[in-house]
Amino acid sequence: SAETPVITGSTLSVSDNTQQAAAEANLATTTLTVAAGNSNGSSAALVNNQIASGGATANSGSLGDTPTLGQIIQAPGAISGGSSLAMSGNSNSALGVGNDATNTLTASATNLTTASATPTNASATLAGGTTSALADYALTSVQSASGAPVSASANTTILNNDSLNTTTSGLANSAVAINNNSTTANAVANRASNALNLSGTNASATGAVASSQTNSSAVIANALATVGFSLNGGDGVPAATGSSIAVGGNSVQAQAV
């Protein structure tokens, strides 16, 4: 016969847990701010140059021939007597990045005038050539990724831990919710955010932004989620009776850029 439930009239929740894995070969935040009443024809340049050749691997549970465990969310499903089980709102993410830059150049003045001499040349050189911006206020970002792969992998399992039992007391007069869980793997060779801000009551200064990205590395993203609820009953005992089971809004995303 089926076992008598040991969980009754209770509330179980394994929810809102977060697991993250991140690997970034080069990470930079550069900021240059010029503030004055009068710029007097001044100029400024901001240059960021990143080279990644060693790859980056973020593993929050791998897939393939030899998978590894990532995020595991489990709780018993054989509950009764108005009990509830929630395994919701959990997130598992992996982020692998070769080069990552946030560059900001800001100049402000009441009179922001153009330079009387030759404007600033903001330049960066890689094997493929030179990238430059020529202006009173110039920002240049150059990124190159090569060599070892950039990869991200995420593996999630959300199941009741008595799903493989051949005999249970079943789910009786209770509710199960497995909703809004997310699994995400993002692999990015190069990413940059460049901002040039010029402001003045009287403004004649010039501004320029130059951005260059090259990549010859493999970029790989894998994501897998196993989400569900499974239960056996017993002799004369149904697997579920007078109960509700909701599995919805769960997401899996893998992106390689």
Side-chain angles (χ1 to χ4, degrees), residues 46-181:
L46 179 62
V47 178
N48 180 69
N49 188 355
Q50 294 178 312
I51 301 173
S53 59
T57 301
N59 187 341
S60 188
S62 64
L63 287 65
D65 295 333
T66 57
T68 59
L69 299 178
Q71 184 184 62
I72 301 176
I73 303 295
Q74 290 187 324
I79 57 178
S80 67
S83 295
S84 65
L85 166 63
M87 295 187 287
S88 299
N90 300 288
S91 65
N92 182 21
S93 64
L95 172 65
V97 181
N99 295 308
D100 189 354
T102 301
N103 307 305
T104 305
L105 171 58
T106 301
S108 62
T110 302
N111 298 301
L112 190 67
T113 57
T114 189
S116 57
T118 303
T120 300
N121 181 17
S123 65
T125 302
L126 293 174
T130 299
T131 299
S132 62
L134 182 65
D136 295 324
Y137 298 94
L139 188 159
T140 296
S141 174
V142 176
Q143 296 175 315
S144 174
S146 62
V150 176
S151 65
S153 179
N155 190 355
T156 302
T157 301
I158 303 177
L159 294 169
N160 54 301
N161 58 9
D162 47 7
S163 62
L164 298 179
N165 293 1
T166 57
T167 302
T168 73
S169 57
L171 176 69
N173 303 311
S174 298
V176 173
I178 308 176
N179 298 323
N180 302 319
N181 300 285

Side-chain angles (χ1 to χ4, degrees), residues 92-96 152-154 183-187 220-223 253-256:
N92 182 21
S93 64
L95 172 65
S153 179
T183 302
T184 306
N186 288 316
I220 305 165
N222 291 301
Q253 180 182 19
Q255 184 179 46

